[in-house]
Amino acid sequence: MKCRESGMPEEALWSTFFDAGQALRKLWPQAGGDALELGCGYGTFTFAAARRTDGLITTLDIEPAMVALVRARATELGLPNIQAQVRDFVADGFGIAPGSQSHVMIYNLLHMDEPVRLLRHARHVLRSEGTVSVMHWRSDTPTPRGPPMDIRPSAEMCATWLAQAGFTQIEPVDLGDCCPFHYGLAARTAAEA
Ligand SMILES: C[S@@+](CC[C@H](N)C(=O)[O-])C[C@H]1O[C@@H](n2cnc3c(N)ncnc32)[C@H](O)[C@@H]1O
């Protein structure tokens, strides 16, 4: 089931909202290993992530056209470490081995139904001391796009959901200079005993 209000404007407009390379440097500072992205869209963050690791970036999207676009562009850009798959991650799960990922990226999505369930799944696929990053449209100010204000989570709400899903070391990530309409959060799975 497609997440509510998860459609996108034209790519030319979408790309004006982000400096994806700078955002990834902040959201995934210790890049390395394999990472999973939930919802590739136009690949705005997929390509930036793939440039930061030799590991595999698996990205899932329910829209075949988005996946086809990301696959084609990954080839054009010479980024062989991207695996884009058509998959409904709400209905069908992630299809990723437990404990296998260094990082999970969840951007512009957590206004969905059952966000804690999704975050629990994310924790499950992360290795010990793996990290998750969340980015979302600001809820404290009008923005040129984004889901309706009444379903937008605040950064504090996302932090609470991360904690409920079992993440630790939940920290805000300042995206003001690269994505002025967004906030970021990063969190970690606990180290294995
Ligand atoms: C608002 S866009 C964000 C895309 C990307 N994360 C970004 O920030 O540029 C959300 C994406 O998630 C995809 N999506 C929504 N519900 C989904 C689901 N249940 N399973 C897989 N993809 C889904 C949409 O097709 C869309 O491409």
Side-chain angles (χ1 to χ4, degrees):
M1 187 186 62
K2 189 163 178 172
C3 300
R4 60 183 179 172
E5 300 287 344
S6 66
M8 303 179 74
E10 292 298 309
E11 186 181 5
L13 175 62
W14 188 254
S15 65
T16 65
F17 300 133
F18 315 97
D19 176 340
Q22 175 72 349
L24 259 290
R25 281 190 284 280
K26 291 171 169 230
L27 290 160
W28 192 21
Q30 270 97 43
D34 295 344
L36 171 68
E37 179 186 36
L38 300 175
C40 60
Y42 297 115
T44 309
F45 300 99
T46 322
F47 308 127
R51 292 189 178 102
R52 291 187 52 69
T53 182
D54 292 333
L56 182 67
I57 306 294
T58 303
T59 188
L60 310 177
D61 205 291
I62 200 169
E63 294 287 352
M66 293 296 192
V67 170
L69 183 140
V70 167
R71 282 183 186 157
R73 203 163 290 165
T75 302
E76 279 166 29
L77 294 170
L79 294 169
N81 59 333
I82 291 174
Q83 187 178 76
Q85 294 175 19
V86 178
R87 190 175 181 98
D88 179 343
F89 51 68
V90 173
D92 302 329
F94 299 173
I96 298 283
S100 63
Q101 303 295 300
S102 295
H103 190 71
V104 176
M105 306 186 291
I106 308 176
Y107 301 160
N108 299 305
L109 205 67
L110 276 189
H111 55 281
M112 65 187 294
D113 293 319
E114 298 193 90
V116 177
R117 181 167 169 263
L118 188 88
L119 290 168
R120 284 203 182 103
H121 282 305
R123 189 168 62 83
H124 193 58
V125 300
L126 281 168
R127 63 168 170 74
S128 164
E129 297 195 77
T131 54
V132 63
S133 58
V134 166
M135 174 197 288
H136 206 282
W137 293 97
R138 288 175 58 176
S139 61
D140 60 338
T141 187
T143 58
R145 289 292 302 196
M149 281 294 188
D150 61 340
I151 62 165
R152 275 190 211 193
S154 64
E156 293 74 20
M157 180 56 73
C158 288
T160 299
W161 290 338
L162 283 161
Q164 287 172 351
F167 285 97
T168 61
Q169 299 180 44
I170 301 160
E171 302 284 353
V173 177
D174 182 2
L175 300 177
D177 58 351
C178 60
C179 312
F181 305 117
H182 286 75
Y183 61 83
L185 292 166
R188 191 170 283 276
T189 56
E192 270 168 23

